[in-house]
């Protein structure tokens, strides 16, 4: 989810960033500009460079740092619905500085090409991510794939489709499973309204806010931790999102449609690479019961459940997330367990 302001809050230690942002806003800077400036600042401070890769007429945008080397695999990170590569900044802060890390804008998001619905289904996104992997030559050595929410759905299906590309995979609160949640209940209400009216009210989708109040409601839905965010910053987050809301609605209808809604569930039995699942126990968007489904379906699946944490694990528990991912990768490498670990790692 798009929670950049809270990502900044975490990155700066949680005490100074919000007052600083409010200070700049008081000097009549556009709130949206503040968001962009802070993302730029933290990418620079963390050593992440933004790069564009053109492949067969399609443009990928991603940030990266480090170089492939012996001993540890490269890590490719897939963000969730309506977010972008910068949502991983809080986690990047706690990953080893020499770690080869790539954070991509998912299809249609931020700097990556925006085409049509064919690329927005889960299968379509998997194909585009495979195209990106080939374009930056990540296929030279097995890499570790991380995905959260929608990106977790994509990562799981990718692991099922292209096991030889991966040494392991981490799924963080992944979508694509038939588990109940307050958010799913809200979707059912929207479906009923659509059946009655013949169309879906776009203003009713909780993950596509168009006002500061709706943005605040979305953050409450996605996070167990309650943050007090100044009105200027909420307005800035809305200003950044609103020009993209038509795309978000198109994407949303595609990933909750019949072809994509349960993609991970339909493919999880095909996952053979070492798999880690991280989930917030208080997730209101994608219920934590999905972790049990994956543990039962995927052989040797490791499940890490986080107390006092909701759907936005990356935002709420970045240090713990980074630690769990690196511990899992190191354990797989050191023990040599898993079918793909005999391959040479980057």
């Amino acid at each position: 989810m798009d929670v950049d302001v809270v990502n900044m809050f975490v990155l700066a230690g949680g005490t100074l960033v919000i007052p600083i942002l409010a200070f700049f806003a008081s000097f009549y800077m556009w709130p949206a500009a503040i968001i962009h400036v802070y993302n730029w600042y933290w990418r620079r401070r963390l050593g992440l460079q933004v790069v564009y890769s053109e492949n067969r007429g399609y443009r990928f945008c991603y940030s990266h740092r480090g170089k492939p080397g012996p001993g540890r695999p490269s890590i490719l990170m897939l963000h969730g619905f309506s977010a972008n590569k910068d949502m991983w900044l809080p986690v990047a802060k706690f990953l080893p500085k020499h770690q080869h890390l790539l954070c991509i804008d998912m299809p249609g998001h931020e700097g990556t090409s925006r085409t049509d619905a064919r690329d927005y289904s889960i299968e379509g996104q998997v194909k585009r991510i495979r195209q990106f992997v080939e374009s930056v030559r990540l296929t030279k050595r097995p890499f570790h794939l991380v995905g959260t929410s929608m990106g977790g759905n994509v990562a799981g299906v990718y692991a099922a489709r292209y096991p030889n590309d991966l040494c392991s995979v981490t799924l963080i609160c992944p979508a694509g499973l038939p588990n109940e949640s307050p958010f799913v209940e809200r979707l059912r209400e929207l479906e009923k309204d659509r059946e009655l009216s013949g169309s879906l009210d776009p203003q009713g989708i909780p993950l596509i806010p168009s006002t500061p109040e709706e943005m605040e409601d979305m953050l409450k839905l996605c996070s167990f931790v309650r943050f007090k965010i100044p009105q200027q910053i909420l307005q800035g987050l809305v200003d950044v999102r609103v020009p993209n809301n038509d795309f978000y609605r198109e994407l949303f209808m595609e990933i909750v449609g019949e072809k994509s809604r349960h993609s991970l569930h339909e493919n999880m039995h095909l996952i053979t690479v070492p798999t880690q699942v991280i989930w917030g126990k208080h997730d209101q968007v994608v219920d934590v019961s999905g972790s049990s489904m994956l543990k039962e379906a995927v052989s040797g699946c490791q499940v890490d459940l986080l107390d006092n944490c909701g759907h936005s694990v990356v935002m709420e528990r970045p240090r713990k997330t980074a630690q769990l991912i690196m511990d899992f990768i190191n354990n797989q490498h050191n023990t040599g367990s898993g079918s793909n670990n005999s391959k040479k790692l980057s």
Side-chain angles (χ1 to χ4, degrees), residues 204-217:
I205 302 174
L207 300 182
I208 308 179
S210 56
T211 67
E213 293 74 24
E214 290 175 355
M215 172 61 69
E216 190 170 27
D217 289 342

Side-chain angles (χ1 to χ4, degrees), residues 90-295:
V91 175
K93 179 185 179 183
F94 298 108
L95 292 173
K97 291 183 179 180
H98 63 273
Q99 175 69 53
H100 186 218
L101 177 67
L102 303 94
C103 307
I104 186 174
D105 286 329
M106 297 293 280
H109 291 76
E110 196 78 4
T112 292
S113 292
R114 186 169 294 179
T115 51
D116 55 48
R118 288 174 297 178
D119 283 339
Y120 306 150
S121 68
I122 297 302
E123 290 288 351
Q125 293 191 61
V126 168
K127 291 177 182 177
R128 285 300 188 187
I129 295 302
R130 185 50 157 68
Q131 182 182 347
F132 169 75
V133 166
E134 292 177 325
S135 73
V136 298
R137 303 182 69 185
L138 266 181
T139 50
K140 290 178 65 177
R141 298 181 179 91
F143 63 92
H144 181 76
L145 183 61
V146 181
T148 184
S149 195
M150 178 192 76
N153 192 353
V154 174
V157 177
Y158 189 105
R161 292 282 185 276
Y162 305 106
N164 291 331
D165 287 1
L166 306 180
C167 60
S168 45
V169 63
T170 295
L171 309 178
I172 304 174
C173 303
L177 298 167
N179 41 353
E180 297 296 316
S181 70
F183 176 68
V184 171
E185 292 176 5
R186 174 61 178 149
L187 287 185
R188 286 206 183 94
E189 293 175 4
L190 291 174
E191 287 285 346
K192 291 179 181 178
D193 292 342
R194 180 169 65 172
E195 291 175 1
L196 292 173
S197 63
S199 63
L200 178 65
D201 177 12
Q203 305 304 319
I205 302 174
L207 300 182
I208 308 179
S210 56
T211 67
E213 293 74 24
E214 290 175 355
M215 172 61 69
E216 190 170 27
D217 289 342
M218 188 191 80
L219 294 177
K220 288 178 181 178
L221 174 69
C222 296
S223 174
F224 177 79
V225 178
R226 293 292 179 258
F227 298 96
K228 293 182 179 180
I229 305 176
Q231 187 73 12
Q232 301 102 312
I233 305 306
L234 289 171
Q235 185 64 58
L237 291 172
V238 170
D239 290 346
V240 169
R241 295 176 60 98
V242 164
N244 300 299
N245 275 357
D246 286 343
F247 160 67
Y248 294 150
R249 291 176 190 117
E250 182 181 10
L251 169 64
F252 184 83
M253 296 311 297
E254 192 65 35
I255 61 177
V256 301
E258 290 185 12
K259 292 182 179 179
S260 296
R261 183 179 298 179
H262 297 148
S263 291
L264 180 54
H265 187 255
E266 293 163 0
N267 289 277
M268 61 185 182
H269 66 285
L270 299 174
I271 299 175
T272 57
V273 299
T275 302
Q276 175 187 41
V277 173
I278 303 174
W279 220 303
K281 288 185 178 180
H282 300 277
D283 193 334
Q284 298 184 80
V285 179
V286 187
D287 192 77
V288 67
S289 60
S291 62
S292 299
M293 298 180 192
L294 287 164
K295 186 173 181 63

